[in-house]
Amino acid sequence: MIVATDVHKRYGKLEVLRGIDLTVQRGEVTCLIGPSGSGKSTFLRCVNRLERIEGGRLAVDGELIGYKTKHGRLHELREHEIAAQRAQIGMVFQHFHLFAHMTALENVIEAPLRVLKLDRATAVARATDLLAQVGLEDKLDSFPSQLSGGQQQRVAIARALAMKPKLMLFDEPTSALDPETVGEVLEVMRGLAAEGMTMLVVTHEMGFARGVADTVAFMDEGRVIEAGTPEQVLEQPAHARTREFLARML
Ligand code: ADP
Ligand code: MG
């Protein structure tokens, strides 16, 4: 679903991604772990083209992100073509980013109405189902300020799913939550994984990575240092830097 080859990204003089190589298989959960500042968020933002890469190749579902080939040459996509690529990729952020002036239901129907041009009745029916799927059937008319962090994050997940994405990106989805609401969000993510959703998850929840991930990738200083099964990377890491990071996590 994702093939990243030697992906480079810099901010001014700061080289943030220094040649990312990573493959995410269709229907699998990949957890991306690594120290703060290693470029995990930047990489996710490149995958859904919130950032533009400066070197290497990045493809989602066989399509280059941000480019198309024509007569054997690379052409940069136009804004509406980039928006079309982005619409197929769901993203969930640490700080939810819900629309504060809209109810849970309105948050979930907004993009399907505006982008997918669904009629209102269809959008409401689907949003109602999705909010039930994340356990919020009784919160349709609540505003974000009336919901706990865990509930807000579940609305954010339902909102992303409403676009029927082929890939879901999660950037530390539980890092801003009170400890008692972390579990309910991880439970929803576990359910999505069980249904076969392809997921790339930046997380510090090692229990989730161990129990749910098919692949764990460890990033440091703008590169994927090692990737493998949770057993390989978390129990038998090949690299000293991975061992040091894991030791600090305990
Ligand atoms: P992580 O998510 O692994 O903590 P980030 O991808 O957020 O890492 O950041 C990697 C590096 O890039 C950090 O040094 C950060 O300060 C820098 N960085 C991130 N976004 C920007 C930006 N928009 N402008 C300048 N520097 C940035
Ligand atoms: Mg980050």
Side-chain angles (χ1 to χ4, degrees):
M1 182 60 81
I2 305 177
V3 180
T5 316
D6 198 27
V7 168
H8 285 259
K9 170 78 196 168
R10 57 170 68 240
Y11 292 113
K13 283 188 180 162
L14 183 66
E15 206 181 356
V16 178
L17 303 183
R18 304 167 176 233
I20 297 273
D21 292 307
L22 183 69
T23 302
V24 172
Q25 302 291 343
R26 200 180 303 276
E28 291 198 349
V29 176
T30 300
C31 283
L32 196 54
I33 63 171
S36 174
S38 57
K40 306 179 299 296
S41 296
T42 302
F43 179 66
L44 287 200
R45 293 169 58 79
C46 289
V47 172
N48 79 346
R49 200 41 165 79
L50 292 170
E51 300 285 355
R52 186 175 172 282
I53 67 171
E54 284 136 12
R57 291 291 175 91
L58 185 49
V60 171
D61 200 19
E63 253 184 60
L64 283 180
I65 289 296
Y67 295 90
K68 64 184 166 194
T69 41
K70 211 166 137 188
H71 308 306
R73 288 174 61 181
L74 274 187
H75 293 266
E76 200 148 357
L77 293 183
R78 294 158 190 271
E79 231 12 84
H80 73 274
E81 295 171 312
I82 290 171
Q85 285 187 331
R86 190 176 292 142
Q88 302 180 40
I89 302 172
M91 182 139 177
V92 173
F93 302 89
Q94 186 175 350
H95 294 288
F96 331 136
H97 296 307
L98 294 176
F99 303 115
H101 61 292
M102 292 183 184
T103 64
L105 186 76
E106 287 165 348
N107 265 279
V108 179
I109 65 175
E110 196 272 343
L113 288 179
R114 186 174 48 82
V115 181
L116 301 182
K117 314 278 187 217
L118 291 190
D119 66 85
R120 196 174 174 85
T122 307
V124 167
R126 279 188 36 200
T128 305
D129 284 349
L130 284 168
L131 284 164
Q133 187 188 329
V134 300
L136 294 175
E137 54 281 343
D138 56 342
K139 300 290 182 189
L140 304 185
D141 298 321
S142 300
F143 287 91
S145 60
Q146 299 169 319
L147 298 172
S148 72
Q151 291 170 334
Q152 290 182 62
Q153 193 60 299
R154 286 185 281 149
V155 174
I157 293 172
R159 181 177 62 173
L161 293 174
M163 291 296 285
K164 296 203 170 167
K166 50 188 174 190
L167 166 66
M168 285 284 285
L169 308 174
F170 293 85
D171 193 355
E172 299 198 31
T174 61
S175 294
L177 299 179
D178 293 328
E180 65 269 25
T181 69
V182 167
E184 68 197 40
V185 171
L186 294 178
E187 196 48 49
V188 166
M189 293 171 64
R190 223 172 258 126
L192 264 185
E195 286 173 15
M197 176 62 78
T198 309
M199 297 161 59
L200 177 57
V201 184
V202 175
T203 188
H204 298 294
E205 293 289 337
M206 292 301 148
F208 180 83
R210 195 170 284 114
V212 181
D214 298 286
T215 300
V216 174
F218 172 69
M219 256 183 88
D220 195 18
E221 296 182 349
R223 289 196 187 89
V224 174
I225 305 292
E226 62 182 303
T229 64
E231 293 73 25
Q232 285 167 341
V233 176
L234 302 178
E235 317 296 343
Q236 311 276 327
H239 288 262
R241 275 195 272 175
T242 316
R243 286 195 288 274
E244 284 158 23
F245 171 76
L246 292 171
R248 267 182 280 132
M249 292 299 294
L250 295 175

